[in-house]
Amino acid sequence: MAHRIYANELEMLHECVETCNYCLESCLEEKDVQMMVDCIRLDRECAAACSFLAEAMTRDSAFVPELARACAIICKACAQECEKHKHAHCQECARVCTECASMCDRLAA
Amino acid sequence: MAHRIYANELEMLHECVETCNYCLESCLEEKDVQMMVDCIRLDRECAAACSFLAEAMTRDSAFVPELARACAIICKACAQECEKHKHAHCQECARVCTECASMCDRLAA
Amino acid sequence: MAHRIYANELEMLHECVETCNYCLESCLEEKDVQMMVDCIRLDRECAAACSFLAEAMTRDSAFVPELARACAIICKACAQECEKHKHAHCQECARVCTECASMCDRLAA
Amino acid sequence: MAHRIYANELEMLHECVETCNYCLESCLEEKDVQMMVDCIRLDRECAAACSFLAEAMTRDSAFVPELARACAIICKACAQECEKHKHAHCQECARVCTECASMCDRLAA
């Protein structure tokens, strides 16, 4: 029962989707939105990748390692961009994406 | 912060995605798989719809009511099909889809 | 064979996904990005909805009318926002979303 | 303009999504559906992966190579399974998935 095996991983991925989308929405409302454009792009990318990996887990995909490998790279890129910004939502997003990247690295191994 | 507002709804939708996909996988392993074809189709449909609605919530979509309206119809159809089968995974799926449909009805109202 | 029946509809939806995402990317690069925030949000929403409807068509979903109903509403909202902006990508996006909304209305009928 | 750069690739991916989903639907209607279970699973997986890669292209993702790498592996696995079956839809699906895998390999390089 895939989603029981992956219960912790699914929780992490859902948290990352939610945090990235919250960061994206918050970036759109920042006064310096022009500075946040790369962050917006990477938040969107990372939310999509984590959401896709979560769906793959729930359908008991045989390709979780391959998809986790790509997802780890995207999470790291998003974390790296978010770290550049002082906004609380970016700092929080950097933290969650870094944690999620580590988990994806383990799944990909 | 959309995902905080929708925390319970997201949990319900994630549970429904997981339950539908588990039912689908289990149907594929049943000896009478030929009897389960409609269930497989509706499980897939329902997992996709719930997953899409969850994503919409996390991006703070203005269209949650409209998407929930469609999702409710799909959850009910899946529940109705699952109820026909005695397998434990179908009975459980019927229960979860019925609960999820009620929630979607409330969101659509 | 669903995707043959829906060949024209799929082409329209794919065009709308691409046009919305191009508009979104272009909005992010505008100097007045702060003015484009609602457009960015609706482009994202519309691309997601059209992409989801296209996927439903390819899996021969029984719920194309219900999903098309929600998609039509989202396409119209995106068109309405895009019409407000003079940028060529917004004007083009408004045109394509309006056309796609009409098609979705027909599918929903 | 991402979707113009990727026009041929998007066409290939859309064809692969449609062919996999048609194969899946056709497998569900075969008398020997029990023999087709792995094919059904891989068709679903491959349709999801190609659809996700296509969406990434339309949003001008910086991670097309990474996602194409995972997609190539999934397309190959689907082709390999489909080749085992004499049904016309499986043979056609094997052909399209093999072609799509080659394209993904080029994108990943």
Side-chain angles (χ1 to χ4, degrees), chain A residues 41-42 44-45 48-50 52 56 59-63 66-67 69-71 73-74 77-78, chain D residues 41-42 44-45 48-50 52 56 59-63 66-67 69-71 73-74 77-78:
Chain A
R41 279 204 191 95
L42 282 159
R44 188 185 185 200
E45 203 62 29
C50 289
F52 186 70
R59 66 177 180 259
D60 206 10
S61 167
F63 302 97
E66 286 80 2
L67 297 172
R69 184 162 300 125
C71 197
I73 294 166
I74 295 170
C78 189
Chain D
R41 278 203 192 97
L42 283 159
R44 188 185 186 200
E45 203 62 30
C50 289
F52 186 70
R59 66 177 179 259
D60 205 9
S61 167
F63 303 96
E66 286 79 2
L67 297 173
R69 184 163 299 124
C71 197
I73 293 167
I74 295 171
C78 190

Coordinates of all heavy atoms in Angstrom, one line a residue, chain A residues 41-42 44-45 48-50 52 56 59-63 66-67 69-71 73-74 77-78, chain D residues 41-42 44-45 48-50 52 56 59-63 66-67 69-71 73-74 77-78:
Chain A
R41 N 9.3 32.1 -10.5 CA 9.5 31.0 -11.5 C 9.9 29.7 -10.8 O 9.3 28.6 -11.1 CB 10.6 31.3 -12.5 CG 10.1 32.2 -13.6 CD 11.0 32.1 -14.8 NE 10.7 33.1 -15.8 CZ 11.4 34.3 -15.9 NH1 12.4 34.5 -15.1 NH2 11.1 35.2 -16.7
L42 N 10.8 29.8 -9.9 CA 11.3 28.5 -9.2 C 10.3 28.0 -8.2 O 10.2 26.7 -8.1 CB 12.7 28.8 -8.6 CG 13.8 28.8 -9.6 CD1 15.0 29.5 -9.1 CD2 14.2 27.4 -10.0
R44 N 7.1 28.1 -8.7 CA 6.1 27.4 -9.5 C 6.6 26.0 -10.0 O 6.0 25.0 -9.9 CB 5.8 28.3 -10.8 CG 4.7 27.7 -11.6 CD 4.5 28.5 -12.9 NE 3.3 28.0 -13.6 CZ 3.1 28.2 -14.8 NH1 3.9 28.9 -15.6 NH2 2.0 27.7 -15.4
E45 N 7.9 26.0 -10.4 CA 8.6 24.8 -10.9 C 8.6 23.8 -9.8 O 8.4 22.6 -10.0 CB 10.0 25.2 -11.3 CG 10.7 24.3 -12.3 CD 10.0 24.3 -13.6 OE1 9.3 25.3 -14.0 OE2 10.0 23.2 -14.2
A48 N 5.2 22.3 -8.8 CA 4.8 21.3 -9.9 C 5.6 20.0 -9.7 O 5.0 18.9 -9.8 CB 5.0 21.9 -11.3
A49 N 6.9 20.1 -9.5 CA 7.7 18.9 -9.4 C 7.3 18.0 -8.2 O 7.2 16.8 -8.3 CB 9.2 19.2 -9.4
C50 N 7.1 18.7 -7.1 CA 6.8 18.0 -5.8 C 5.4 17.4 -5.9 O 5.2 16.3 -5.5 CB 6.9 18.9 -4.6 SG 8.6 19.4 -4.2
F52 N 4.0 16.4 -8.7 CA 4.0 15.3 -9.6 C 4.7 14.1 -8.9 O 4.2 12.9 -9.1 CB 4.9 15.7 -10.8 CG 4.9 14.6 -11.9 CD1 3.7 14.3 -12.6 CD2 6.0 13.9 -12.1 CE1 3.7 13.3 -13.6 CE2 6.0 12.9 -13.1 CZ 4.9 12.6 -13.8
A56 N 3.0 10.4 -8.2 CA 3.6 9.1 -8.6 C 3.7 8.1 -7.4 O 3.5 6.9 -7.6 CB 5.0 9.4 -9.1
R59 N 0.4 6.5 -6.8 CA 0.0 5.4 -7.8 C 1.0 4.3 -7.8 O 1.0 3.4 -8.7 CB -0.3 6.0 -9.2 CG 0.8 6.6 -9.9 CD 0.5 7.0 -11.3 NE 1.7 7.6 -11.9 CZ 1.9 8.9 -12.0 NH1 1.0 9.8 -11.6 NH2 3.1 9.4 -12.5
D60 N 1.9 4.3 -6.8 CA 2.8 3.2 -6.6 C 3.8 3.0 -7.8 O 4.1 1.9 -8.2 CB 2.1 1.9 -6.3 CG 3.0 0.9 -5.5 OD1 4.0 1.3 -5.0 OD2 2.6 -0.3 -5.3
S61 N 4.2 4.2 -8.3 CA 5.0 4.2 -9.5 C 6.3 3.4 -9.2 O 6.9 3.6 -8.1 CB 5.3 5.6 -9.9 OG 6.4 5.7 -10.8
A62 N 6.8 2.7 -10.2 CA 8.1 2.1 -10.2 C 9.3 3.1 -10.4 O 10.4 2.7 -10.3 CB 8.2 0.9 -11.2
F63 N 8.9 4.3 -10.7 CA 9.9 5.3 -11.1 C 10.1 6.4 -10.1 O 10.6 7.5 -10.5 CB 9.5 5.8 -12.5 CG 9.4 4.8 -13.5 CD1 8.2 4.2 -13.9 CD2 10.5 4.2 -14.1 CE1 8.0 3.2 -14.8 CE2 10.4 3.1 -15.0 CZ 9.2 2.6 -15.4
E66 N 13.8 7.8 -10.1 CA 14.1 8.7 -11.3 C 13.4 10.0 -11.1 O 14.1 11.1 -11.4 CB 13.6 8.0 -12.6 CG 14.5 6.9 -13.1 CD 14.2 5.5 -12.3 OE1 13.2 5.5 -11.5 OE2 14.9 4.5 -12.6
L67 N 12.2 10.0 -10.7 CA 11.5 11.3 -10.6 C 12.0 12.1 -9.4 O 12.1 13.3 -9.4 CB 10.0 11.0 -10.4 CG 9.3 10.4 -11.6 CD1 7.9 10.0 -11.3 CD2 9.3 11.3 -12.8
R69 N 15.0 12.1 -8.4 CA 16.3 12.6 -8.8 C 16.1 14.0 -9.4 O 16.8 15.0 -9.1 CB 17.0 11.7 -9.8 CG 18.4 12.2 -10.2 CD 19.2 11.0 -10.8 NE 19.4 10.0 -9.9 CZ 19.1 8.7 -10.1 NH1 18.6 8.3 -11.2 NH2 19.3 7.8 -9.1
A70 N 15.2 14.1 -10.3 CA 14.8 15.4 -11.0 C 14.3 16.4 -9.9 O 14.6 17.6 -9.9 CB 13.8 15.2 -12.1
C71 N 13.4 15.9 -9.0 CA 12.8 16.7 -8.0 C 13.8 17.3 -7.1 O 13.7 18.5 -6.7 CB 11.7 15.9 -7.3 SG 10.6 16.9 -6.4
I73 N 16.9 18.1 -7.7 CA 17.6 19.2 -8.4 C 16.8 20.5 -8.4 O 17.3 21.6 -8.1 CB 18.0 18.8 -9.8 CG1 19.0 17.6 -9.8 CG2 18.5 20.0 -10.7 CD1 19.2 16.9 -11.1
I74 N 15.5 20.3 -8.6 CA 14.6 21.5 -8.7 C 14.4 22.1 -7.3 O 14.4 23.3 -7.1 CB 13.2 21.1 -9.3 CG1 13.5 20.7 -10.8 CG2 12.2 22.2 -9.2 CD1 12.3 20.0 -11.5
A77 N 17.5 24.1 -6.4 CA 17.5 25.4 -7.2 C 16.6 26.4 -6.5 O 16.9 27.6 -6.4 CB 17.2 25.2 -8.6
C78 N 15.4 25.9 -6.1 CA 14.4 26.8 -5.5 C 14.9 27.3 -4.1 O 14.8 28.5 -3.8 CB 13.1 26.1 -5.3 SG 11.7 27.2 -4.8
Chain D
R41 N -0.6 -0.2 -16.2 CA 0.2 0.6 -15.3 C 1.3 1.4 -16.0 O 1.4 2.6 -15.7 CB 1.0 -0.4 -14.3 CG 0.2 -0.9 -13.2 CD 1.1 -1.3 -12.0 NE 0.3 -2.0 -11.0 CZ 0.2 -3.3 -11.0 NH1 0.9 -4.1 -11.8 NH2 -0.5 -3.9 -10.0
L42 N 2.0 0.9 -17.0 CA 3.0 1.6 -17.6 C 2.4 2.7 -18.6 O 3.0 3.8 -18.7 CB 4.0 0.7 -18.3 CG 5.0 0.0 -17.4 CD1 5.5 -1.2 -17.9 CD2 6.1 1.0 -17.0
R44 N -0.3 4.3 -18.0 CA -0.7 5.4 -17.1 C 0.6 6.3 -16.7 O 0.5 7.5 -16.8 CB -1.3 4.8 -15.9 CG -1.9 5.9 -15.0 CD -2.5 5.4 -13.7 NE -3.2 6.4 -13.0 CZ -3.4 6.4 -11.7 NH1 -3.1 5.3 -11.0 NH2 -4.1 7.3 -11.1
E45 N 1.6 5.5 -16.3 CA 2.9 6.2 -15.9 C 3.4 7.0 -17.0 O 3.9 8.2 -16.8 CB 3.8 5.1 -15.6 CG 4.9 5.4 -14.6 CD 4.4 5.9 -13.3 OE1 3.4 5.4 -12.8 OE2 5.1 6.7 -12.7
A48 N 1.4 10.2 -17.8 CA 1.6 11.2 -16.8 C 2.9 11.9 -17.0 O 3.0 13.1 -16.9 CB 1.5 10.6 -15.4
A49 N 4.0 11.1 -17.3 CA 5.3 11.7 -17.4 C 5.4 12.6 -18.6 O 6.0 13.7 -18.6 CB 6.4 10.6 -17.5
C50 N 4.9 12.1 -19.7 CA 4.9 12.9 -21.0 C 4.1 14.2 -20.8 O 4.5 15.3 -21.3 CB 4.4 12.1 -22.2 SG 5.6 10.8 -22.6
F52 N 3.6 15.8 -18.0 CA 4.3 16.7 -17.1 C 5.4 17.4 -17.9 O 5.7 18.6 -17.7 CB 4.8 15.9 -15.9 CG 5.4 16.7 -14.9 CD1 4.7 17.6 -14.1 CD2 6.8 16.7 -14.7 CE1 5.3 18.4 -13.2 CE2 7.4 17.5 -13.7 CZ 6.6 18.4 -13.0
A56 N 6.0 21.4 -18.5 CA 7.3 22.0 -18.2 C 7.8 22.8 -19.4 O 8.3 24.0 -19.2 CB 8.3 21.0 -17.7
R59 N 6.0 26.1 -19.8 CA 6.3 27.2 -18.9 C 7.8 27.5 -19.0 O 8.3 28.2 -18.1 CB 5.8 26.8 -17.5 CG 6.5 25.7 -16.8 CD 5.9 25.5 -15.3 NE 6.6 24.3 -14.8 CZ 6.2 23.1 -14.7 NH1 4.9 22.9 -15.0 NH2 6.9 22.1 -14.2
D60 N 8.4 27.1 -20.0 CA 9.8 27.5 -20.3 C 10.7 27.1 -19.1 O 11.6 27.8 -18.7 CB 9.9 29.0 -20.5 CG 11.1 29.3 -21.4 OD1 11.8 28.4 -21.9 OD2 11.5 30.5 -21.5
S61 N 10.5 25.9 -18.6 CA 11.2 25.4 -17.4 C 12.7 25.3 -17.7 O 13.1 24.9 -18.8 CB 10.7 24.0 -17.0 OG 11.6 23.4 -16.2
A62 N 13.5 25.6 -16.7 CA 15.0 25.4 -16.9 C 15.4 24.0 -16.7 O 16.6 23.6 -16.8 CB 15.7 26.3 -15.9
F63 N 14.4 23.1 -16.3 CA 14.8 21.8 -16.0 C 14.3 20.7 -17.0 O 14.1 19.6 -16.6 CB 14.2 21.5 -14.6 CG 14.7 22.4 -13.5 CD1 14.0 23.6 -13.2 CD2 16.0 22.3 -13.0 CE1 14.5 24.5 -12.3 CE2 16.5 23.2 -12.1 CZ 15.8 24.3 -11.7
E66 N 16.5 17.6 -17.1 CA 16.4 16.6 -16.0 C 15.1 15.9 -16.1 O 15.0 14.7 -15.8 CB 16.4 17.4 -14.7 CG 17.8 17.9 -14.2 CD 18.2 19.2 -15.0 OE1 17.4 19.7 -15.8 OE2 19.3 19.7 -14.7
L67 N 14.0 16.6 -16.4 CA 12.7 15.9 -16.5 C 12.7 15.0 -17.7 O 12.1 13.9 -17.7 CB 11.6 17.0 -16.6 CG 11.5 17.9 -15.4 CD1 10.5 19.0 -15.6 CD2 11.1 17.1 -14.2
R69 N 15.2 13.3 -18.9 CA 15.9 12.1 -18.5 C 15.0 11.1 -17.9 O 15.0 9.9 -18.2 CB 17.1 12.5 -17.6 CG 18.0 11.3 -17.2 CD 19.3 11.8 -16.6 NE 20.0 12.6 -17.6 CZ 20.5 13.9 -17.4 NH1 20.3 14.4 -16.3 NH2 21.1 14.5 -18.4
A70 N 14.2 11.5 -16.9 CA 13.3 10.6 -16.2 C 12.2 10.1 -17.2 O 11.9 8.9 -17.2 CB 12.6 11.3 -15.0
C71 N 11.8 11.0 -18.1 CA 10.7 10.7 -19.0 C 11.2 9.6 -20.0 O 10.4 8.7 -20.4 CB 10.2 11.9 -19.8 SG 8.7 11.7 -20.6
I73 N 13.4 7.2 -19.5 CA 13.4 5.9 -18.9 C 12.0 5.3 -18.8 O 11.8 4.1 -19.1 CB 14.0 6.1 -17.4 CG1 15.5 6.5 -17.5 CG2 13.8 4.8 -16.6 CD1 16.1 6.9 -16.2
I74 N 11.0 6.2 -18.5 CA 9.6 5.7 -18.4 C 9.1 5.3 -19.8 O 8.4 4.3 -20.0 CB 8.7 6.8 -17.7 CG1 9.2 7.0 -16.3 CG2 7.2 6.4 -17.8 CD1 8.6 8.1 -15.5
A77 N 10.5 1.9 -20.7 CA 9.8 0.8 -20.0 C 8.5 0.5 -20.6 O 8.1 -0.6 -20.7 CB 9.7 1.2 -18.5
C78 N 7.7 1.6 -20.9 CA 6.4 1.4 -21.5 C 6.5 0.7 -22.9 O 5.7 -0.2 -23.2 CB 5.7 2.7 -21.6 SG 3.9 2.6 -22.0

